[in-house]
Amino acid sequence: MRTRTKALVLVPLVAVLAGCATPGPQDALVEARRLAPQGGELTLATDEAARRERESAVARALAEPLDAQGAWRVALLNSPALQALIAQSWAAQATVVQSGRLPNPRLALERLTRGDETEIGRVLSFGLLELLALPWRAGQAERAAEAARLQLAADVLRVGAQVRQQWVRAVAAQQLAQYHEQVRDAAQASAELARRMQAVGNYSRLQRDREQAFYADATAQLARARQAAVAEREALVRLLGLSPQQASSLRLPDRLPDLPGEPRPAQQVADAAKRERVDLRLAQRRLAAADAQRTLARWTSLTDIELGVVRNSETHQPTQRGFELELTLPLFDAGQARRAGASAEAIAALNQVHQVQIEATSTLRERYAAYRTAYDLARHFRDEVVPLRQRIVDEMLLRYNGMLGSVFELLAESRTHIGSVIGAIEAQRDFWLADAALDAAILGVPAEGASLLTQAPAAGGASPAGH
């Protein structure tokens, strides 16, 4: 009777000790929601009703021209890639929580007969060593689950940086295509004027051919710009996960946002990076999980102990009660390999923390330098180059009106002004790309930097006609 009472008490106790909460999809999103800087609702659509509600929200967002924050919200709602990431993280977190639970107890039943005698044996057994190590197992599982949540947050933030940068590229490409269209129209008018001037003998064949060549070059540049706009827009469509119908509703602003009045101070950026870096927090959690796993391996790698509660009944005999202990003898495998593997994992995790710290500070310095350079370049084009070229064009217009300059001198300066405008748009695009890359560096997620060293906007402007 006393053994039965102990068993009745022991089984619920084991159940309570093993009863960790199963993570749901909302639990997997805790860190990602907290760290997402642009806001928006991050959920996992698990049924048809949620998917329909999500499509309605996307349709409302696409009813207006999509700004950068709107693109982020649409990606959160609509991107199948993000939904897959959330579901995979949910599965990973469920797996690590499962690893922290106790294996189920085993019940063995036995019925033997000899003549009119019947013998019934019952053994309820469970892993005693696993029960003793449960606090370490639960702690290790919780650290691993937290690392999985941080990994999902890092993945979501990485997608957010990609969406923001691709939105900048798409808007800039559309803006450039629209401007190239204006240039083509002006070049067409210039070529037609040259044709008429040559027809009445006021212009040479060489001069007309130069204007015609400029028109041909402007036409080719427009074709390239239109193709670039299509390519960048479709890349954005893929990131947002838009269907063909949704893609047809996508409208982008006509131009990029204006530059901020002042760049961000370096100290403000450094302080934000100290608070928000996900990669460093993730490396530290993985180190904690590896240390916990190494401690657990010291306990569980040498042997295994099974404890069983026995109750045997036999005809005409009193009931037998007792326990049995099953011990794995470490004759062929003493667990050295498991302990060595756990130690190696912990050492690797420690060095990864150091590497992430080095990369964090270096990347932040590089991205901030690129951000300041892009800001200074964009402001230089906005405040110096474009106004200077515009004043030259205005002066040439005055000279033309006073019959001190020819129409073609005026057109030549206008073409030079075209190059400065294109350079200004590209510089503005590079600034917003660098701004997004800096935000990604603050958060500790990968993102492409602006290619400031390989792209040199034409400050002096192109002069295809050779004027």
Side-chain angles (χ1 to χ4, degrees):
M1 185 66 183
R2 190 168 55 185
T3 302
R4 178 186 299 177
T5 303
K6 289 180 179 178
L8 291 175
V9 172
L10 186 59
V11 171
L13 177 61
V14 172
V16 170
L17 289 174
C20 301
T22 301
Q26 306 309 318
D27 301 318
L29 297 171
V30 172
E31 285 295 330
R33 284 173 174 163
R34 191 183 70 79
L35 293 173
Q38 297 103 328
E41 184 64 25
L42 181 61
T43 60
L44 177 63
T46 55
D47 54 32
E48 189 59 32
R51 281 186 280 272
R52 284 197 297 269
E53 182 179 352
R54 196 180 62 185
E55 290 174 357
S56 300
V58 172
R60 290 193 296 272
L62 295 178
E64 302 290 335
L66 201 64
D67 58 12
Q69 191 166 0
W72 169 243
R73 288 197 296 268
V74 169
L76 291 181
L77 287 168
N78 200 62
S79 170
L82 267 181
Q83 294 288 301
L85 281 176
I86 296 171
Q88 289 168 355
S89 178
W90 181 21
Q93 292 180 44
T95 301
V96 296
V97 169
Q98 180 65 39
S99 68
R101 291 184 171 179
L102 281 177
N104 288 325
R106 293 182 293 277
L107 176 62
L109 298 175
E110 181 184 62
R111 185 177 186 277
L112 302 175
T113 60
R114 183 191 303 124
D116 58 349
E117 295 182 353
T118 302
E119 181 179 349
I120 299 177
R122 311 171 190 85
V123 179
L124 179 65
S125 62
F126 57 90
L128 179 60
L129 188 59
E130 291 175 338
L131 177 61
L132 295 175
L134 182 59
W136 288 273
R137 292 169 60 91
Q140 196 273 342
E142 177 55 32
R143 292 181 185 92
E146 188 176 0
R149 288 193 291 271
L150 281 171
Q151 181 61 60
L152 175 61
D155 291 339
V156 171
L157 294 175
R158 174 180 52 79
V159 173
Q162 291 174 347
V163 168
R164 185 180 168 193
Q165 289 191 321
Q166 191 54 47
W167 179 88
V168 170
R169 293 190 187 96
V171 174
Q174 175 184 275
Q175 189 175 350
L176 283 170
Q178 292 170 352
Y179 186 70
H180 275 289
E181 189 171 352
Q182 297 174 16
V183 172
R184 193 277 313 270
D185 293 343
Q188 185 179 22
S190 176
E192 176 61 20
L193 179 60
R195 187 188 65 79
R196 293 180 182 181
M197 293 286 283
Q198 188 205 7
V200 297
N202 292 333
Y203 220 61
S204 66
R205 179 72 190 186
L206 175 61
Q207 290 171 313
R208 177 194 168 182
D209 286 346
R210 283 175 173 170
E211 298 307 319
Q212 189 66 35
F214 175 60
Y215 173 46
D217 184 71
T219 302
Q221 293 293 335
L222 174 60
R224 294 191 184 97
R226 283 176 171 170
Q227 177 55 36
V230 170
E232 300 294 358
R233 177 188 171 92
E234 291 302 324
L236 180 62
V237 166
R238 291 192 290 273
L239 276 176
L240 301 182
L242 299 180
S243 66
Q245 289 182 338
Q246 292 171 330
S248 64
S249 302
L250 174 63
R251 289 182 296 155
L252 297 173
D254 292 333
R255 58 191 302 275
L256 291 169
D258 294 331
L259 294 176
E262 296 292 336
R264 286 185 271 180
Q267 188 58 46
Q268 177 185 342
V269 172
D271 293 342
K274 290 177 183 175
R275 295 191 303 267
E276 302 293 345
R277 286 200 71 94
V278 179
D279 56 348
L280 185 56
R281 292 178 56 199
L282 180 59
Q284 290 169 342
R285 294 300 180 278
R286 285 174 174 165
L287 173 59
D291 282 337
Q293 182 61 36
R294 178 167 56 180
T295 303
L296 185 62
R298 292 172 184 164
W299 280 78
T300 59
S301 61
L302 183 62
T303 185
D304 190 18
I305 304 174
E306 291 278 336
L307 177 64
V309 180
V310 181
R311 183 172 184 271
N312 293 330
S313 301
E314 186 175 354
T315 306
H316 309 307
Q317 296 294 331
T319 301
Q320 289 182 319
R321 296 185 179 88
F323 65 91
E324 68 177 22
L325 201 63
E326 183 177 336
L327 182 66
T328 302
L329 299 178
L331 297 180
F332 307 118
D333 180 11
Q336 297 97 332
R338 285 185 59 190
R339 292 192 293 276
S343 297
E345 292 286 346
I347 293 172
L350 177 62
N351 283 282
Q352 286 169 356
V353 170
H354 294 162
Q355 183 62 34
V356 169
Q357 289 172 336
I358 293 170
E359 292 183 357
T361 53
S362 175
T363 302
L364 193 63
R365 288 195 299 268
E366 177 196 351
R367 293 293 166 79
Y368 186 75
Y371 167 82
R372 281 307 308 263
T373 302
Y375 181 84
D376 293 341
L377 275 174
R379 194 168 64 175
H380 177 69
F381 270 87
R382 184 195 64 182
D383 298 342
E384 298 293 336
V385 177
V386 174
L388 179 60
R389 288 295 177 187
Q390 185 60 52
R391 285 198 300 272
I392 293 174
V393 171
D394 293 342
E395 184 64 24
M396 288 303 301
L397 181 59
L398 291 175
R399 289 172 62 83
Y400 170 73
N401 291 335
M403 302 184 69
L404 299 175
S406 69
V407 63
F408 294 107
E409 290 176 330
L410 176 62
L411 291 174
E413 287 301 334
S414 298
R415 288 198 290 272
T416 306
H417 179 62
I418 289 169
S420 67
V421 173
I422 292 174
I425 295 173
E426 292 176 344
Q428 193 176 7
R429 174 201 61 195
D430 289 344
F431 166 74
W432 286 114
L433 290 176
D435 185 68
L438 179 61
D439 282 337
I442 291 173
L443 293 169
V445 296
E448 291 184 26
S451 302
L452 300 176
L453 299 180
T454 57
Q455 296 181 3
S463 181
H467 290 276

